[in-house]
Amino acid sequence: AMSIAAVTSGSFQYRTRQGRATLVPGALLLGNAGACFECGHEHAQGDRCLAFHFTPAYLEAAVAVTPRFAAPSLPPQPHVLPILVAAESARETDDADAFEELALRLAGTVLALQERSVPPRPSARDERRVTRIVRRIEAEAHEPLTLTALARDAGMSPYHFLRTFRAVTGMTPHQYVLRTRLTHAAVRLRNSAAPISEIAYAAGFSDLSTFNRRFRKLMGTNPARWRQRR
């Protein structure tokens, strides 16, 4: 089957005919039907994914194009995040009826967004360093995390760390921290009745107006409406 797997936590290495990639939370594993693949944990142990599998005939009929992934993965994408949060929420609440629509939305978006060129890969040593920082961000996104501090923890100069982090994850450290905070907040808005201000501060935002502005930019709506739409 054609496979699209969204990484929800942890990280791992993936290799298939289209190439190789290190996958972090928010990234999408892409697999073509009949292709051999290998996954491994070279730098850290454990991951969790939400995987969708499609027959090529179903996808071709649904999206009116011949489905084929040219790259092994896609980095975290703003267009995809609302779909992934909705799917994660549907899984937590066992909302089976929502999955067909979400799966189609995800497949159509991925086929439109997939990149046709694969950037040069960082060294295995640098991948290992960035993977460690990704896991730190995942666990400590609510804490103050500066570029300088993260680069020091990775054992790199800030400039080299910035370039390498972007090459591995598809975004800058600052963008990744913001995305992680907003993802945690979006899931909690869907699954709890806690006040929006409490959720914003717990996610690592220092004021509500900044949280509202950045949430709206990433999710396409404000936190209150996002919660109501569940």
Side-chain angles (χ1 to χ4, degrees):
M2 303 285 291
S3 299
I4 303 174
V7 186
T8 58
S9 64
S11 59
F12 61 98
Q13 284 67 49
Y14 172 58
R15 178 169 64 89
T16 187
R17 294 174 186 171
Q18 303 100 276
R20 300 175 58 200
T22 293
L23 300 180
V24 300
L28 298 173
L29 176 152
L30 306 179
N32 289 312
C36 296
F37 68 92
E38 181 180 61
C39 295
H41 295 91
E42 298 174 15
H43 311 318
Q45 299 299 314
D47 65 88
R48 184 169 180 254
C49 296
L50 180 59
F52 296 84
H53 304 282
F54 310 85
T55 65
Y58 175 80
L59 268 190
E60 187 168 6
V63 300
V65 297
T66 302
R68 183 73 182 174
F69 297 130
S73 65
L74 281 177
Q77 300 278 346
H79 299 81
V80 178
L81 181 57
I83 303 174
L84 298 185
V85 171
E88 185 78 357
S89 180
R91 175 168 65 175
E92 295 295 338
T93 58
D94 198 24
D95 187 359
D97 293 337
F99 271 103
E100 182 175 9
E101 179 181 319
L102 289 167
L104 275 179
R105 287 175 58 199
L106 178 63
T109 303
V110 167
L111 287 169
L113 287 174
Q114 68 169 331
E115 299 167 345
R116 296 296 176 179
S117 61
V118 180
R121 282 176 55 82
S123 68
R125 181 169 179 256
D126 283 349
E127 276 194 353
R128 184 167 56 251
R129 291 172 167 182
V130 170
T131 298
R132 187 175 75 248
I133 300 304
V134 163
R135 288 179 173 250
R136 178 184 172 185
I137 293 172
E138 190 178 352
E140 303 175 10
H142 58 286
E143 300 287 350
L145 297 171
T146 66
L147 173 65
T148 301
L150 293 174
R152 186 186 306 116
D153 188 16
M156 301 181 185
S157 70
Y159 181 66
H160 181 55
F161 172 70
L162 176 62
R163 289 190 305 167
T164 306
F165 191 97
R166 187 168 188 174
V168 172
T169 68
M171 58 179 62
T172 69
H174 177 66
Q175 290 169 336
Y176 193 84
V177 169
L178 281 178
R179 182 205 165 277
T180 303
R181 289 174 176 172
L182 289 168
T183 301
H184 291 173
V187 171
R188 192 175 174 199
L189 281 166
R190 282 283 177 92
N191 296 333
S192 83
I196 292 175
S197 58
E198 176 184 316
I199 291 174
Y201 297 139
F205 292 92
S206 58
D207 67 88
L208 192 57
S209 61
T210 299
F211 170 70
N212 287 334
R213 183 175 68 254
R214 288 180 168 161
F215 191 95
R216 186 183 301 110
K217 183 177 180 180
L218 187 64
M219 305 302 289
T221 188
N222 63 46
R225 289 180 180 174
W226 171 258
R227 167 174 274 172
Q228 291 169 358
R229 279 164 43 182
R230 67 179 175 178

